[in-house]
Amino acid sequence: MAWINHEYAWRPVQMVPACWPRHAHIARELPVLAVLRWEAESAAGPQLMEEWNRYAFPMFCERMAQRLGESTCRTGRHQDWPAESRYTASLDASPR
């Protein structure tokens, strides 16, 4: 989401990585963030914009940073999901 990176990301940790479509947790949250921003811009008063700036965007950044961890995605080199092999093994071990 170029608009977030251009308008709001001051620190690298706040930047949405270019590989965001490959991260389900980011891809699912970005539309919600965009709609909340659109609603805030369309509101007659400043309350929704204040809420977006104070809560929605910072909390999104916090969740994104926590979930990406120390991955190389922020430097432009996508890192696949580190837990994929463990997840697959748990599916193989579960009774069917």
Side-chain angles (χ1 to χ4, degrees), residues 27-72:
R28 287 188 181 107
E29 286 197 55
L30 281 174
V32 174
L33 193 65
V35 168
L36 289 173
R37 173 67 186 179
W38 178 79
E39 287 177 344
E41 287 179 347
S42 302
Q47 292 84 3
L48 290 180
M49 186 60 73
E50 173 65 16
E51 287 180 17
W52 192 90
N53 283 301
R54 187 180 295 239
Y55 302 110
F57 180 65
M59 290 176 75
F60 164 78
C61 289
E62 186 177 315
R63 286 188 303 273
M64 181 180 62
Q66 180 184 20
R67 291 173 183 161
L68 286 176
E70 298 299 321
S71 74
T72 58

Side-chain angles (χ1 to χ4, degrees), residues 5 13-14 21 48 87 96:
N5 289 342
V13 73
Q14 294 174 316
L48 290 180
Y87 174 74
R96 296 199 165 126

